[in-house]
Structure formats: C-alpha cells, structure tokens
Amino acid sequence: MRDRALTFLERFLEVPEDTPEEIRRYFAYWKVFYALAAVAHVSVLVMAWAADIGFLFWFNCVSIPLFIVCYVLLHRRYYRLAFWMANGELILHGVAATVCIGTLAAFNDFIFPVVVMAFVQPFYSMGRSAFLAGGALAVAAALSYFMHDRAPVYELKAPFDTMFEVVSPIVFAVAMLAMVLPFFAEVRRAEAKLREAYRESEGLLLNILPRPIADRLKRSKGMIADDHDKVAILFADIAGFTDISDKMPPAEVVKLLNEVFSTCDALADRYGVEKIKTIGDAYMVVAGLPGSKGDPEEVAARLALDIERKMWEIRAPHSGEPIKMRIGINSGRVVAGIIGQRKFAYDLWGDAVNVAARMEATGEPGRIQTPEAMAQALATRFEFEPRGRSK
C-alpha cells in the first residue's frame, strides 16, 4: 500500500520532459496547489450543502471543475491561463463566501494565498508580482471593512456556525502550509543541484589550472603572471607515434593516447607536480611551483624514470611492442601566467622551457635527456651517461 502511494505521488509530481526550463521548478508546485484547492472546495461544498447555503453550494460546484480545468491547462502548456484562473477563483471565492456567511468563518483569508501565488511564478518581475500581491491584500482589506458592520446574506445556525468557524481556518492553514512546503523543498533541491554543479565546475577548473592560480582567478579578473626562480620542466612524447597511429583506426589511436596520458597523470599526481598541457602526443609537466614539495630537479628526474618504467607496461596494439617515450628535463627560471580570454590556458615561458623541449626533441626513444648543468646538480643522486658533442 505504501509503495503504491509513493508511486502515485511520484507520477503525480512528475514534470513532462517538454516543459520549459523556467517553468519546471514551479510545475509540480502548481499541480499540488490545484489539487489541494479542489479538495478544499469539496469540503466547503459539503458544509454549504449541509447548512443549506444554496449560493455557496453552487459556487463550489463550479469551482471544483475549474481547478480540474487548471490542471489540464497546465499539462497543455497554457501556464498563464491556468495561473490566472486559479488566483481569480480564490479571490472571487473569498468575496462570495464572506458576503454569504460573514467574516466569522474567515473565508476572507482565502484571498491571502493569492499573495503567495503572486510570487510563485516566472512570468512577471518582482515589482509586478508585488503589485499583484498588493492588489490581493487590498481586496481582502476592503472586504473585511465592508463586512465589519453588515449582516451576512445567510445566518448560520448551530452546529453549522461552529463547524464553519472551526473547519475553515484549519483548511486555510493546511492549504497555506501545503503551498509553502513544496516550494521550499524545490528550493532545497535547486540549491543542492547548484552545489553539485559548483563542485563539478570547481573540479573542471582545477583540471585546467593549479589551485593557487584558480583561487586568484576567482578573486580577481586582472592579469596573472608570476616569476619563478627555479622550477623543473619535463617534456615527453611517444617515439614513432606517427607510424603507430597510421596503422590504427581513429578510436584505437585515442584509446592509446588516453591510456598513456592517464598513466602520466596518475604519476604526476603522485609526485605533486603540475600538468601544464598535452600537444598531440607530447606531454608537459612542471615541478617546483608554489605549494609543491621536494627539490624540483629530483622530483622531475624521479617522475621521468617512473614514466619510462610504466610505458613498458603499455603495448602498441598493432605490434605488441612496448611504448617508448623520449623525455627531456631541464630546470631554471620561468615566467608563468594565464593567456587568452576564451579557452584560456596556464603556460610557462623562458629559456629553461625551450631547453627542456629541445632535450626531448633531440633525445632517444626510451631514454631521458638533460643538459649538463642539471646532470651535475643531480650527479650524487642519479647516474648519467654523456652523449658527447652533437654533430
């Protein structure tokens, strides 16, 4: 029974797929409002019939189908018409019921939901919504003033006077609560979606920029440019990639590159270095930016060795041979910053970068090449082999 009730509720609150985005957050709320309004009018109809209040009885006989029509109009995308029909009925109902049986039953309070509904819509600005709400309040105030010293059309007798006096405020309170709670629930869901979207966008931003740079970019729109006295730059590319890719379908090429670069990304995260970019089959990272730990030259060297080891585990699909990479590393002063207004990129410039790129370009497959100065700085921690003078 409980599962059936939940299934019914889910289907009732379901929003059609073709509903415009600006309407979606209000759609289920309006449906609940129309349904509750119809149920409330049924209770008033029963009490009017029992108390022999003919006008109020027939008024509700018209009002109940009207809210059903509003429900149908909502699903047929006549959103404004349904909105105005429902709110117009509430105002007319409050006026008619108050004139019929007086203010004792507090039917004039049924005009106040219109004040809430004036803001629960995407059609009008806040100023116009406030004007609509003020109009509804003015009608309620004028009605209360008009009926203050006047006798109602129908004189309620016991026990109907007590029945109307007790039931009407309860129905009004429940209706108001039912109006407010779904909207608050929808607001919470919207806020949860915004938080999730923020986390996703934050994650995407951190995949593009180092966290300190991302934080500065969010705080300021000015130019970001930094001078770093000593960082270590690593360039790596797949040896013979053109020949390898020529023998593979496009999907396999992308799959291979994804495997290679995902492996490099995992190692970069382990060593705490910053990935700068990939260009074709080339991969660039930097060690020694603010927030990183360890000697940047040693970190880059150990990362290079691990990349070479890991590449032996990845095989070219067409030949089964392990992937070999040319790796070049260098250290020195660089300028770092963000360039571009659209699809911006964080990049490095300087002679140290150019030399690292040249070390990779002139290197040998499966080997790591460094300039002599960096080799001397790391001589006590790693073994190096001189290549001799270039011809």
PDB file of all heavy atoms in Angstrom, residues 71 90 136 149 244 246 280 305 360:
ATOM      1  N   TYR A  71      -5.667  22.173 -14.000  1.00  0.00           N
ATOM      2  CA  TYR A  71      -4.710  21.062 -14.050  1.00  0.00           C
ATOM      3  C   TYR A  71      -4.475  20.628 -15.495  1.00  0.00           C
ATOM      4  O   TYR A  71      -3.336  20.402 -15.921  1.00  0.00           O
ATOM      5  CB  TYR A  71      -5.255  19.902 -13.218  1.00  0.00           C
ATOM      6  CG  TYR A  71      -4.326  18.724 -13.097  1.00  0.00           C
ATOM      7  CD1 TYR A  71      -3.417  18.630 -12.048  1.00  0.00           C
ATOM      8  CD2 TYR A  71      -4.355  17.693 -14.031  1.00  0.00           C
ATOM      9  CE1 TYR A  71      -2.557  17.545 -11.935  1.00  0.00           C
ATOM     10  CE2 TYR A  71      -3.501  16.609 -13.933  1.00  0.00           C
ATOM     11  CZ  TYR A  71      -2.616  16.536 -12.880  1.00  0.00           C
ATOM     12  OH  TYR A  71      -1.769  15.472 -12.778  1.00  0.00           O
ATOM     13  N   LEU A  90      -9.847  32.106  -6.363  1.00  0.00           N
ATOM     14  CA  LEU A  90      -9.614  32.281  -4.924  1.00  0.00           C
ATOM     15  C   LEU A  90     -10.145  33.634  -4.451  1.00  0.00           C
ATOM     16  O   LEU A  90     -10.757  33.735  -3.383  1.00  0.00           O
ATOM     17  CB  LEU A  90      -8.118  32.169  -4.617  1.00  0.00           C
ATOM     18  CG  LEU A  90      -7.507  30.760  -4.631  1.00  0.00           C
ATOM     19  CD1 LEU A  90      -6.017  30.831  -4.383  1.00  0.00           C
ATOM     20  CD2 LEU A  90      -8.175  29.872  -3.585  1.00  0.00           C
ATOM     21  N   ALA A 136      -4.252  41.969  -4.161  1.00  0.00           N
ATOM     22  CA  ALA A 136      -4.986  40.941  -3.424  1.00  0.00           C
ATOM     23  C   ALA A 136      -5.192  41.352  -1.964  1.00  0.00           C
ATOM     24  O   ALA A 136      -6.283  41.170  -1.395  1.00  0.00           O
ATOM     25  CB  ALA A 136      -4.238  39.614  -3.496  1.00  0.00           C
ATOM     26  N   ASP A 149     -19.618  45.816   9.736  1.00  0.00           N
ATOM     27  CA  ASP A 149     -20.872  46.180  10.410  1.00  0.00           C
ATOM     28  C   ASP A 149     -22.101  45.695   9.644  1.00  0.00           C
ATOM     29  O   ASP A 149     -23.208  46.167   9.874  1.00  0.00           O
ATOM     30  CB  ASP A 149     -20.947  47.707  10.586  1.00  0.00           C
ATOM     31  CG  ASP A 149     -19.878  48.223  11.529  1.00  0.00           C
ATOM     32  OD1 ASP A 149     -19.567  47.507  12.504  1.00  0.00           O
ATOM     33  OD2 ASP A 149     -19.342  49.319  11.278  1.00  0.00           O
ATOM     34  N   ILE A 244      52.933   4.573 -35.673  1.00  0.00           N
ATOM     35  CA  ILE A 244      51.989   3.754 -34.903  1.00  0.00           C
ATOM     36  C   ILE A 244      50.554   4.117 -35.241  1.00  0.00           C
ATOM     37  O   ILE A 244      49.714   3.248 -35.486  1.00  0.00           O
ATOM     38  CB  ILE A 244      52.246   3.938 -33.386  1.00  0.00           C
ATOM     39  CG1 ILE A 244      53.622   3.396 -32.999  1.00  0.00           C
ATOM     40  CG2 ILE A 244      51.157   3.248 -32.561  1.00  0.00           C
ATOM     41  CD1 ILE A 244      54.009   3.683 -31.556  1.00  0.00           C
ATOM     42  N   ASP A 246      49.327   5.547 -37.891  1.00  0.00           N
ATOM     43  CA  ASP A 246      48.943   5.258 -39.272  1.00  0.00           C
ATOM     44  C   ASP A 246      48.380   3.864 -39.436  1.00  0.00           C
ATOM     45  O   ASP A 246      47.619   3.597 -40.383  1.00  0.00           O
ATOM     46  CB  ASP A 246      50.141   5.436 -40.206  1.00  0.00           C
ATOM     47  CG  ASP A 246      50.459   6.907 -40.460  1.00  0.00           C
ATOM     48  OD1 ASP A 246      49.580   7.754 -40.176  1.00  0.00           O
ATOM     49  OD2 ASP A 246      51.575   7.202 -40.916  1.00  0.00           O
ATOM     50  N   GLY A 280      49.268  17.130 -29.079  1.00  0.00           N
ATOM     51  CA  GLY A 280      49.392  15.922 -29.883  1.00  0.00           C
ATOM     52  C   GLY A 280      49.759  14.743 -28.998  1.00  0.00           C
ATOM     53  O   GLY A 280      49.023  14.378 -28.075  1.00  0.00           O
ATOM     54  N   LEU A 305      61.832   8.809 -14.655  1.00  0.00           N
ATOM     55  CA  LEU A 305      62.178   7.388 -14.570  1.00  0.00           C
ATOM     56  C   LEU A 305      60.933   6.509 -14.423  1.00  0.00           C
ATOM     57  O   LEU A 305      60.829   5.449 -15.059  1.00  0.00           O
ATOM     58  CB  LEU A 305      63.123   7.158 -13.387  1.00  0.00           C
ATOM     59  CG  LEU A 305      64.543   7.704 -13.554  1.00  0.00           C
ATOM     60  CD1 LEU A 305      65.298   7.648 -12.227  1.00  0.00           C
ATOM     61  CD2 LEU A 305      65.304   6.931 -14.632  1.00  0.00           C
ATOM     62  N   GLU A 360      63.964  17.004 -25.179  1.00  0.00           N
ATOM     63  CA  GLU A 360      63.029  15.940 -25.596  1.00  0.00           C
ATOM     64  C   GLU A 360      63.130  15.697 -27.097  1.00  0.00           C
ATOM     65  O   GLU A 360      63.182  14.552 -27.564  1.00  0.00           O
ATOM     66  CB  GLU A 360      61.604  16.344 -25.193  1.00  0.00           C
ATOM     67  CG  GLU A 360      60.513  15.389 -25.677  1.00  0.00           C
ATOM     68  CD  GLU A 360      59.984  15.813 -27.032  1.00  0.00           C
ATOM     69  OE1 GLU A 360      59.703  16.995 -27.246  1.00  0.00           O
ATOM     70  OE2 GLU A 360      59.875  14.907 -27.904  1.00  0.00           O
TER      71      GLU A 360
END
